[in-house]
Amino acid sequence: MSRSERLLAGQPKFFFTMTIPEHPVTSGFPLIRGRRNRLSERRRKMVAEHRLTPSDFIAPMFIIEGKERKEPISSMPDYYRLSLDLAVRQAAVWYELGIAAVLLFVMVPESKKDNEGTEALNENGLMQTAVKKMKEAVPGLTVMTDVALDPYSSFGHDGIVRDGRIINDESVDVLARMSVSHARAGADFVAPSDMMDGRIGEIRRALEANAFPDTGIMAYSAKYASVFYGPFRDALDSAPGFGDKKTYQMDPANVREAVREAQMDEAEGADIVMVKPGLPYLDVIRAVREQVQVPVAAYNVSGEYAMIKAAAEKGWIDEEAAMLESLLAFRRAGADVIATYWAEKAVRYLTKSRV
Ligand code: PBG
């Protein structure tokens, strides 16, 4: 028993003049009652350490060729592949809602895929056209583009394949040219999701050399080889044709390595670093947050979305509450911004609730 505990033990329960020499104010129960700050909704809000706001969210978008097309994705209920005309309208709505940015992915027909990702560099390709149209229609919208070869690769890999291996430096060269082509179309940020070594520095240099100093880079710095990308690969039909992505995406066992990757990307000129997936990697978000100075994004990936949707469909979980609790967990872990398929739903909830 400590001295203060001994003193307290001898006191009646509500004896207000007691003095506790070592800890004059914080003397424990009953003086300290954490529940006082939880007594009402207003009080809880007042003392909340973290909050969600519309500008916390980046909304991913899956764009397809054609017109007036809105295709459901079986493993991602309530999320759609959209043709560009509909995607532009959707983006305008999201912008009005205050969502921070859209992150564009395109679905490329099989006939346009090859090993080098040639179509990725097409100045009139779907991505480039999408960026132009979106910036024209909603100039204030922050448009981010996915940079990786997998949607364009006949092998479904994020880089060029030679002899069954994904080769680094040649892939980086294509990724840098791809980034410049997105910047030329008007992209505000390029978001390399490929995990090749050295690509952030090369992309930064290429952007500078081509007079795009204002184009940002959101680097997928700690992207893990994760099973939680499954529904996304359904959405884009982009699953690897052979093997897996473990020779470039990170091993889920590692956290120091994530910090090192993020620090390298920061040093190479990344404006935002990202950790992906999200919920199973909250510790990684925290570790990265404490070791870099640039903003940290987290990607609440397709499989995380699908799990809540599936449980909610079965009536096993409250979808909205599960969504909000998960999104708040990202902020608590230290994420400055969250890429999430919940963006619109979360923002609609946040803007209508007035407590
Ligand atoms: C591909 C890419 C993937 C995701 C974003 N970009 C999948 C992968 O690496 O195979 C996953 C996003 C999600 O699951 O929501 N470069």
Side-chain angles (χ1 to χ4, degrees), residues 60 62 76 103 105 146-151 156-158 191-195 220 223-233 236 238-240 245 248-249 276-277 299-305 339 341:
F62 301 126
M76 300 180 71
L103 175 57
F105 296 93
D146 184 60
V147 172
L149 290 190
D150 55 328
H157 275 289
D158 292 24
S193 65
D194 55 284
M195 288 300 279
Y220 288 63
K223 178 172 177 182
Y224 288 85
S226 171
V227 73
F228 293 103
Y229 306 150
F232 172 97
R233 292 175 187 174
L236 290 191
S238 65
K245 298 191 174 184
Y248 44 105
Q249 298 181 346
K276 177 184 179 185
Y299 201 138
N300 179 211
V301 302
S302 57
E304 301 168 39
Y305 174 83
Y341 303 100

Side-chain angles (χ1 to χ4, degrees), residues 3 63 83 119 208 235 249-250 260 274 340:
R3 192 160 156 219
I63 300 176
S83 55
E119 177 62 15
E208 291 290 333
Q249 298 181 346
M250 280 182 51
R260 182 167 181 249
M274 186 195 275
T340 179

Side-chain angles (χ1 to χ4, degrees), residues 123-302:
E123 296 290 331
N124 300 311
L126 187 53
M127 180 64 95
Q128 289 79 354
T129 313
V131 174
K132 273 181 226 150
K133 289 258 151 71
M134 269 186 203
K135 292 299 291 185
E136 255 166 47
V138 200
L141 179 71
T142 297
V143 174
M144 301 177 152
T145 59
D146 184 60
V147 172
L149 290 190
D150 55 328
Y152 301 95
S153 156
S154 39
F155 291 105
H157 275 289
D158 292 24
I160 297 171
V161 178
R162 298 247 189 273
D163 301 323
R165 299 174 64 174
I166 291 75
I167 50 167
N168 196 84
D169 300 7
E170 256 184 81
S171 302
V172 168
D173 187 55
V174 180
L175 296 166
R177 286 191 286 142
M178 192 175 170
S179 301
V180 170
S181 128
H182 293 181
R184 190 167 290 127
D188 297 293
F189 279 81
V190 292
S193 65
D194 55 284
M195 288 300 279
M196 297 299 121
D197 288 325
R199 90 276 206 218
I200 301 305
E202 288 304 310
I203 291 172
R204 188 76 268 161
R205 272 189 284 278
L207 289 170
E208 291 290 333
N210 287 276
F212 294 111
D214 295 334
T215 309
I217 302 178
M218 179 168 74
Y220 288 63
S221 301
K223 178 172 177 182
Y224 288 85
S226 171
V227 73
F228 293 103
Y229 306 150
F232 172 97
R233 292 175 187 174
D234 292 344
L236 290 191
D237 188 23
S238 65
F242 69 88
D244 51 41
K245 298 191 174 184
K246 292 181 184 170
T247 66
Y248 44 105
Q249 298 181 346
M250 280 182 51
D251 183 343
N254 297 351
V255 60
R256 289 197 309 271
E257 187 185 354
V259 171
R260 182 167 181 249
E261 289 281 359
Q263 287 175 325
M264 285 193 293
D265 286 354
E266 180 179 42
E268 289 175 32
D271 301 285
I272 301 175
V273 296
M274 186 195 275
V275 174
K276 177 184 179 185
L279 291 177
Y281 295 85
L282 293 176
D283 58 320
V284 179
I285 297 170
R286 168 56 50 198
V288 169
R289 174 63 290 158
E290 285 172 4
Q291 301 292 334
V292 301
Q293 304 306 318
V294 288
V296 175
Y299 201 138
N300 179 211
V301 302
S302 57

